[in-house]
Amino acid sequence: MSAMPAAADPTRPTPALPTPDDVAAALEAVRTRAPLVQCLTNIVVAQWTANTLLALGAAPAVVDNPREAAELASVADGVLVNLGTPYAETVAAMGPAVAAARGAGTPWVLDPVAAGALSWRTDVAQGLLAAGPPAILRGNASEVLALAGGDGGRGVDAVHTPEAAADSARATARRHGTVVAVSGPVDHVVDAARLVRVTNGHPWLTRVTGVGCALGATMAAFAAAVDDPLLAAVAATAVVTVAAESAAARTAGPGSFAVALLDDLAACTPEHLAARVSLA
Amino acid sequence: MSAMPAAADPTRPTPALPTPDDVAAALEAVRTRAPLVQCLTNIVVAQWTANTLLALGAAPAVVDNPREAAELASVADGVLVNLGTPYAETVAAMGPAVAAARGAGTPWVLDPVAAGALSWRTDVAQGLLAAGPPAILRGNASEVLALAGGDGGRGVDAVHTPEAAADSARATARRHGTVVAVSGPVDHVVDAARLVRVTNGHPWLTRVTGVGCALGATMAAFAAAVDDPLLAAVAATAVVTVAAESAAARTAGPGSFAVALLDDLAACTPEHLAARVSLA
Amino acid sequence: MSAMPAAADPTRPTPALPTPDDVAAALEAVRTRAPLVQCLTNIVVAQWTANTLLALGAAPAVVDNPREAAELASVADGVLVNLGTPYAETVAAMGPAVAAARGAGTPWVLDPVAAGALSWRTDVAQGLLAAGPPAILRGNASEVLALAGGDGGRGVDAVHTPEAAADSARATARRHGTVVAVSGPVDHVVDAARLVRVTNGHPWLTRVTGVGCALGATMAAFAAAVDDPLLAAVAATAVVTVAAESAAARTAGPGSFAVALLDDLAACTPEHLAARVSLA
């Protein structure tokens, strides 16, 4: 089945670890393809998410009602499902959207916001994960641990470190045949065989609501543009955190930082990204 | 019936083509009247839309539930119905809001986001259009063609040019007795007898989500302040695109451009608008 | 009952009037405690509200569905219920959230946006108020008068002055045993025995959508950090209006003002606040 991620197929060799040049090429691919990314997402940050995708060169579409979600997912280039603000109607759209994406071989990203802390969305996330793996599962350490069977966090705050979640993330990646990306001061991205740390970033990323949610959408855009979902998760993390560094260097607080972040996402060239990204 | 638009009445002479001075006077009228504009709109960009209206001097109110939509529409000065993010509850509010606006002789604007690309909202848009014409139908070329019977676009992206849609827009304007405004690099505004092109603008308008949606709300504000709906559509387009030119001239990317656009909408004087607007 | 506000207990002495030093200490307490503030709020301005709380040092969580609202309210530090955009599902979440907050002795804030102007939300606000008083009832003069039995405003615009509403606010404060905060050019905050005026602010606060809604969330953050709800309402009003003064002094319009306001909320020190706040 074409929708199965590469890492789940034992007959295929594991791709190499991404290099800065791979990350730069992935950004170039996003700019060239301009993928249509359908977002079923936290409605609080949907505007921010759409503006992030537009700044990068992707094409966002927030279509999250059950009458149309599958219709768009069957033609979109990537799909984000984020559980930040679940409602009866938008949750009813998620399953059909994921099924349509899988049927079309289109990568989708799951962002289980506050999984472990709130029971309904935890069940929804487990159900979506069980029905078929996303290309990328993205969350903070608490959320990833919660879906792996550990205890969850307090609301949307991460109370565990990404390092503590890395082993659990790897187990989840192996069980589901997915890439797991754990956000934090250092971002950890794993699949069944590989671990990449992205050490770029800035503390102000935690003072702007929705940066993590927009990162999930960015991963869907990169997953639509490159074949290796681990590279997609790493490159998406890289471009957001590298842009954050330059944005923070010339602004005075979280308001102006958020504005500059959009500017710097748009201005970030593949060359700049390759020069600045810090992989470990 | 007072709610019938002027263009549908064959006994009334067609108003003259709008001049830059007419456009300036329309902006002055919006500032003086400070119209209450009810928005039933794309919830992703509702904050941006409200801030756009506030910057211009209008008073926004997002009331889009079926228990209250008609109650407000009966006293609002203008009503926007935008199909960007339809849900069962908000769609149920649209018909009653439009009926109340029509009953009160209040102009309303229809923005059929992604009509033609997604089936449910296309049906909803056709139904609203059939129940009684809006003062202004606003969309990109694909959406206008879709409602005229042509094929639609890919999500919210326009895949047809405004020039290609102009003939179709005119036919739609004549059939429904409405003004049709087609967004694009050059904006085309038509009624049964007139065509006005607004050639101002900047490519960054397509890198900020919701500019088109906010333009629909701006048209509702202008339609509340002046009698000629074609002038309202032209003047709304003019103030947004002229402000975009000055905003782009002093900013470095889509984030700071969006912020400057709000500043420049607030700062735009009737004199500045008359001097800069380019009508053809 | 621990959830009863102090002002309703006739055996407890009335706290003293807040001083600038008290206001400064309250800000320090918010920064230290970083309260988790659950927002059931106007979805149009939820992002702005969350960014305001993050800028101040609080932790926002928008959880407004009926399956999870009480679950979070039972562990949150403060809860905001704002009626700006009521829907069937979000209104169904409000009663359980308030009941859980009351059961946990957690302060909650009611912001009855457009009460008096629209009938459904007026009924909802009256019902929430009758079920048990919030720590703080926040609104403009029209909304406060409407809940006191007077007539309401036009949409979300205030058509009465805070001065005219002060007597009514005091009567409401006494009847319900709550603090009532009335926004306007001069903000009036009353409980059964005290009246404090905050005279800081700037007209551009009315040109950015959601500033009042975010102020309600800010009050919930302060109510979570200090014991006296009148001090909480005064300190929240002070920090927003003092930051507005510095933000307006260095910006050119409502777009850049809103960005600077977030920066200045983050940068505002207790010392700066004590030096600039104007209480009367």
Side-chain angles (χ1 to χ4, degrees):
Chain A
M1 286 170 52
S2 63
M4 292 292 283
D9 180 351
T11 68
R12 285 175 65 168
T14 299
L17 283 173
T19 66
D21 283 347
D22 294 333
V23 167
L27 176 59
E28 188 65 38
V30 168
R31 295 260 164 78
T32 301
R33 179 157 181 183
L36 175 63
V37 179
Q38 179 181 4
C39 300
L40 299 95
T41 193
N42 186 339
I43 200 65
V44 175
V45 300
Q47 182 187 13
W48 171 258
T49 300
N51 277 336
T52 297
L53 290 172
L54 285 170
L56 272 169
V62 178
V63 176
D64 61 353
N65 71 74
R67 289 174 180 80
E68 298 177 326
E71 186 178 8
L72 186 63
S74 67
V75 298
D77 299 311
V79 176
L80 167 69
V81 177
N82 172 307
L83 288 167
T85 50
Y87 302 104
E89 190 168 2
T90 53
V91 166
M94 292 176 181
V98 167
R102 285 175 55 79
T106 300
W108 70 284
V109 172
L110 176 63
D111 191 337
V113 178
L118 295 166
S119 47
W120 180 39
R121 67 184 67 196
T122 306
D123 291 344
V124 172
Q126 296 281 19
L128 291 169
L129 200 53
I136 303 167
L137 169 65
R138 192 213 82 82
N140 62 35
S142 301
E143 293 153 358
V144 168
L145 284 168
L147 291 188
D151 59 334
R154 188 188 78 150
V156 296
D157 292 322
V159 294
H160 302 90
T161 64
E163 290 75 13
D167 283 348
S168 181
R170 182 176 300 261
T172 300
R174 285 183 176 150
R175 185 162 62 249
H176 292 288
T178 187
V179 166
V180 181
V182 188
S183 297
V186 173
D187 295 274
H188 290 64
V189 183
V190 303
D191 66 8
R194 296 174 291 172
L195 163 64
V196 179
R197 293 182 189 86
V198 184
T199 65
N200 302 93
H202 192 277
W204 282 349
L205 286 169
T206 65
R207 300 292 289 274
V208 177
T209 197
V211 170
C213 297
L215 177 56
T218 304
M219 289 181 183
F222 276 86
V226 300
D227 287 335
D228 178 7
L230 182 128
L231 171 59
V234 168
T237 303
V239 71
V240 170
T241 56
V242 165
E245 292 176 355
S246 58
R250 60 193 175 84
T251 50
S256 51
F257 168 72
V259 173
L261 182 55
L262 291 176
D263 284 357
D264 288 0
L265 285 169
C268 184
T269 61
E271 295 72 28
H272 177 80
L273 184 59
R276 297 298 178 89
V277 65
S278 173
L279 306 176
Chain B
M1 287 170 51
S2 63
M4 293 292 284
D9 180 351
T11 68
R12 285 174 65 166
T14 298
L17 282 174
T19 66
D21 284 347
D22 295 332
V23 168
L27 176 59
E28 187 65 37
V30 168
R31 295 260 164 79
T32 301
R33 179 158 181 183
L36 175 62
V37 179
Q38 180 181 3
C39 301
L40 298 95
T41 193
N42 186 339
I43 199 65
V44 175
V45 300
Q47 182 187 12
W48 171 258
T49 301
N51 277 336
T52 297
L53 290 172
L54 284 170
L56 272 169
V62 178
V63 175
D64 60 354
N65 71 74
R67 289 174 179 82
E68 299 178 325
E71 187 179 6
L72 186 63
S74 67
V75 298
D77 299 312
V79 176
L80 167 70
V81 177
N82 172 307
L83 288 167
T85 50
Y87 302 104
E89 191 168 0
T90 53
V91 166
M94 292 176 182
V98 167
R102 286 174 55 78
T106 299
W108 70 284
V109 172
L110 177 63
D111 190 337
V113 178
L118 295 165
S119 47
W120 181 39
R121 66 184 68 195
T122 306
D123 291 345
V124 172
Q126 296 281 19
L128 290 169
L129 200 53
I136 303 166
L137 170 66
R138 192 212 82 80
N140 61 34
S142 301
E143 295 154 357
V144 168
L145 284 168
L147 291 188
D151 60 334
R154 188 188 78 150
V156 296
D157 291 323
V159 294
H160 301 89
T161 63
E163 290 76 12
D167 284 348
S168 180
R170 182 177 302 262
T172 300
R174 286 184 175 148
R175 184 160 65 251
H176 292 288
T178 186
V179 166
V180 181
V182 188
S183 297
V186 172
D187 295 275
H188 290 63
V189 183
V190 303
D191 65 7
R194 296 173 291 173
L195 164 64
V196 179
R197 292 181 190 88
V198 183
T199 65
N200 302 92
H202 192 276
W204 282 351
L205 286 169
T206 65
R207 300 293 289 273
V208 177
T209 196
V211 170
C213 297
L215 177 55
T218 303
M219 288 181 182
F222 277 86
V226 300
D227 287 335
D228 178 7
L230 182 128
L231 169 60
V234 168
T237 303
V239 72
V240 170
T241 54
V242 165
E245 291 176 355
S246 58
R250 60 191 175 86
T251 50
S256 51
F257 168 71
V259 173
L261 182 54
L262 291 176
D263 284 356
D264 287 0
L265 286 169
C268 185
T269 61
E271 295 72 28
H272 177 81
L273 185 59
R276 298 296 180 88
V277 66
S278 173
L279 305 177
Chain C
M1 286 169 53
S2 63
M4 292 292 284
D9 179 350
T11 69
R12 285 174 64 168
T14 299
L17 283 174
T19 65
D21 283 347
D22 294 333
V23 167
L27 176 58
E28 187 65 38
V30 168
R31 294 260 164 79
T32 302
R33 178 156 182 184
L36 175 63
V37 179
Q38 180 182 3
C39 301
L40 300 94
T41 193
N42 186 339
I43 200 65
V44 175
V45 299
Q47 182 188 12
W48 170 258
T49 300
N51 278 336
T52 297
L53 290 173
L54 285 170
L56 272 169
V62 178
V63 176
D64 60 354
N65 70 75
R67 289 173 180 81
E68 298 177 327
E71 186 179 6
L72 185 63
S74 66
V75 298
D77 299 311
V79 176
L80 168 69
V81 177
N82 172 306
L83 288 167
T85 51
Y87 302 105
E89 190 168 0
T90 54
V91 166
M94 291 177 183
V98 167
R102 286 175 53 79
T106 299
W108 70 284
V109 172
L110 177 63
D111 190 338
V113 178
L118 295 165
S119 47
W120 180 39
R121 67 184 69 196
T122 306
D123 291 344
V124 172
Q126 296 281 19
L128 291 170
L129 200 54
I136 303 166
L137 169 65
R138 192 213 83 81
N140 62 34
S142 301
E143 294 154 358
V144 168
L145 284 167
L147 291 188
D151 60 334
R154 188 188 79 150
V156 296
D157 291 323
V159 294
H160 302 90
T161 64
E163 290 76 11
D167 283 348
S168 180
R170 181 176 301 260
T172 300
R174 286 184 175 149
R175 184 162 63 250
H176 292 287
T178 187
V179 166
V180 180
V182 188
S183 296
V186 172
D187 294 275
H188 290 63
V189 183
V190 303
D191 66 8
R194 296 174 291 174
L195 163 64
V196 179
R197 293 182 189 87
V198 184
T199 64
N200 301 93
H202 192 276
W204 282 350
L205 287 170
T206 65
R207 300 292 289 275
V208 178
T209 196
V211 170
C213 297
L215 177 55
T218 304
M219 288 181 183
F222 276 86
V226 300
D227 287 334
D228 178 8
L230 181 129
L231 170 60
V234 168
T237 303
V239 71
V240 171
T241 54
V242 165
E245 291 176 354
S246 58
R250 61 192 175 86
T251 49
S256 50
F257 167 71
V259 174
L261 182 54
L262 291 176
D263 284 357
D264 288 0
L265 285 169
C268 184
T269 61
E271 295 71 29
H272 178 80
L273 184 59
R276 297 298 179 88
V277 65
S278 173
L279 306 177

